Amino acid sequence: MRWSEIPGDAKAYILYHTLISPGLIVWILFPLYLLETGYSVLEVGAFFTAVNILAIPLTYLFGRLFNRWDIKKGLIAIDVLDGVAYVLYGLAKGAIAPLMLFAGRTIEKLSTMLYPLYRAYEQIIYPEERYEEIFAWHLRLPEISRLLTFPVMGYVLGYVYPGPESYRWAFILFGLFSAVTVTYIWRFLPSVGKEERITPEGFTFKVGEFRLLIVFETFITLAWALAPEMVLINYVVFVLHKTVFEVTLVAVASGLASILGTYASERVPKGKGFQALGVGMGINALYTLVMALSPPLCIVLLVYALGDFGSSLGFPFYRSWMFRLIPKEKASEFHAAISSYRKVLGMFTPLVAGGLAGVRATLPYAASLAFFVLAGMMFAVLSRKERNFRSPAPP
């Protein structure tokens, strides 16, 4: 699918994600900031777990409310909350630093409660018959944005102006940049209220198939949650004795592979979505297996790239499968319910991951491996029973 063939509203939304992608470096800088200011990896895991507990019930409540409210306003709220949180991170100094950090993380968690609105918004504004092709672009352009910006920011913060003080200034700058992204949403993204969410005639809610989706969500959530970003950061910076620049190089390698994965996904034959998902999970299992063996940096770059290739290969088919199982008029509620379920599963995984990493820096990847294997096996079985299930590809 060519960029020119994508509807204007979908283009504007993809460009929004391209605009905010450089700010995702905060997800690397924040745990690194905690580690470099004296917190152990176990304490960082416990910190994230404490904040996660606050987020579970409100996620579903917000999703249900946005069945009636304009989802665009929820997207604005996400960027406002993130902006405030990042500024608080930047101002966390001295005796009040722990309080500021906890307040900032709590506010950022409030914004993540609204993240299901992204998926609900996509389900509504992306044409249903072109989900797979559009999701290839949805992944591709933001990855290109990260590819161009992460190495520069990583080099500056890793070698030119290294250390926590520079990270604080970065937090503040990204916090203030939210004013730009909020303006973009208000000006260029269409409103999506109740009247825009009409489920197509003939839609039937498939209980059995939706249960399979939840099983996969269980496997994949635990697989990623048991080897979070902080595990990579701890390994690269404190075991391999590198800097944030090398961490961003991992992100760049992953981004390149992810872009290649989007092109590979476009070449998967129609009706072969489950096979693509199974292959993607198998590739991710290989990535975690190698990481569990404590490889040198050059191998870390290679296997993280391999893992992101696998994820990008299967992502358009998984998201399309999910969207075709959920009625549009309750999209925000369903996506919020799934997100709340993920949060329940991940409530203590940061603490578990931190504890495992405290024993051996790459041990969390071994735990992650088991769930990627289960996910891959699930789709290997489903691909043999495609007559009984709607394959995640257009009819």
Side-chain angles (χ1 to χ4, degrees):
M1 184 180 196
R2 296 176 181 174
W3 176 252
S4 59
E5 297 173 329
I6 298 176
D9 289 345
K11 281 183 182 177
Y13 182 72
I14 292 171
L15 289 174
Y16 161 69
H17 280 281
T18 305
L19 184 65
I20 64 174
S21 280
L24 298 182
I25 197 172
V26 172
W27 294 0
I28 296 174
L29 292 179
F30 183 64
L32 181 58
Y33 172 78
L34 293 178
L35 292 169
E36 289 194 2
T37 52
Y39 295 88
S40 71
V41 66
L42 177 59
E43 288 170 332
V44 173
F47 177 83
F48 286 171
T49 294
V51 178
N52 284 350
I53 294 171
L54 302 175
I56 294 170
L58 290 178
T59 299
Y60 174 73
L61 175 61
F62 285 144
R64 185 161 187 170
L65 290 173
F66 272 97
N67 279 337
R68 302 186 300 273
W69 298 350
D70 182 3
I71 295 178
K72 175 177 171 178
K73 294 177 181 177
L75 303 186
I76 291 173
I78 290 172
D79 280 17
V80 170
L81 291 168
D82 281 344
V84 172
Y86 297 165
V87 170
L88 287 174
Y89 293 160
L91 297 177
K93 294 182 68 173
I96 63 169
L99 181 61
M100 298 285 279
L101 290 172
F102 191 82
R105 186 63 178 171
T106 302
I107 291 172
E108 188 178 5
K109 269 296 174 183
L110 286 173
S111 84
T112 67
M113 295 177 199
L114 299 173
Y115 279 10
L117 298 181
Y118 286 134
R119 292 190 295 278
Y121 196 80
E122 292 155 13
Q123 181 177 349
I124 294 162
I125 69 165
Y126 289 171
E128 183 174 351
E129 69 279 3
R130 307 301 296 272
Y131 276 153
E132 287 83 3
E133 296 95 326
I134 289 179
F135 272 116
W137 283 101
H138 177 94
L139 281 180
R140 189 176 300 150
L141 289 189
E143 285 294 348
I144 292 173
S145 177
R146 288 204 308 162
L147 192 65
L148 296 175
T149 57
F150 268 37
V152 176
M153 293 187 293
Y155 183 78
V156 170
L157 294 170
Y159 289 102
V160 181
Y161 299 108
E165 188 65 29
S166 297
Y167 302 161
R168 281 194 285 266
W169 279 109
F171 295 147
I172 291 172
L173 289 174
F174 281 116
L176 296 177
F177 186 69
S178 65
V180 176
T181 60
V182 165
T183 302
Y184 181 93
I185 295 171
W186 186 261
R187 175 67 180 82
F188 296 108
L189 296 190
S191 294
V192 173
K194 190 173 181 180
E195 60 276 8
E196 283 83 18
R197 312 179 210 188
I198 301 175
T199 299
E201 289 187 22
F203 175 87
T204 303
F205 181 66
K206 305 281 188 177
V207 176
E209 197 169 351
F210 191 78
R211 286 174 180 164
L212 286 174
L213 179 77
I214 296 302
V215 171
F216 176 69
E217 280 287 336
T218 302
F219 293 157
I220 201 67
T221 297
L222 291 173
W224 288 117
L226 288 169
E229 198 86 63
M230 70 172 185
V231 173
L232 171 67
I233 294 166
N234 179 64
Y235 180 63
V236 171
V237 176
F238 296 97
V239 176
L240 299 181
H241 304 293
K242 305 299 181 181
T243 72
V244 67
F245 175 61
E246 282 76 18
V247 178
T248 60
L249 288 184
V250 176
V252 168
S254 299
L256 280 170
S258 183
I259 292 167
L260 293 175
T262 65
Y263 285 106
S265 72
E266 291 180 323
R267 287 159 177 75
V268 174
K270 300 298 183 184
K272 298 297 182 182
F274 285 141
Q275 287 91 330
L277 282 163
V279 170
M281 294 302 101
I283 292 172
N284 278 319
L286 178 60
Y287 130 75
T288 50
L289 174 62
V290 176
M291 283 301 302
L293 301 176
S294 303
L297 181 64
C298 58
I299 302 300
V300 171
L301 293 169
L302 178 63
V303 296
Y304 258 83
L306 186 66
D308 265 43
F309 178 86
S311 296
S312 296
L313 175 66
F315 175 81
F317 303 101
Y318 173 58
R319 190 59 64 86
S320 175
W321 181 42
M322 173 187 283
F323 284 3
R324 290 193 173 94
L325 295 176
I326 295 174
K328 285 188 176 181
E329 71 269 11
K330 292 190 175 182
S332 59
E333 181 179 351
F334 267 78
H335 289 300
I338 293 171
S339 182
S340 292
Y341 177 64
R342 287 193 195 117
K343 291 181 190 303
V344 171
L345 290 174
M347 186 164 55
F348 295 106
T349 51
L351 182 60
V352 173
L356 292 173
V359 175
R360 184 167 175 264
T362 57
L363 189 57
Y365 294 104
S368 180
L369 169 63
F371 290 102
F372 278 128
V373 169
L374 287 171
M377 290 172 60
M378 171 183 169
F379 283 113
V381 172
L382 286 180
S383 66
R384 297 191 185 99
K385 298 181 178 180
E386 264 185 302
R387 286 175 299 177
N388 299 322
F389 299 101
R390 292 173 298 176
S391 178

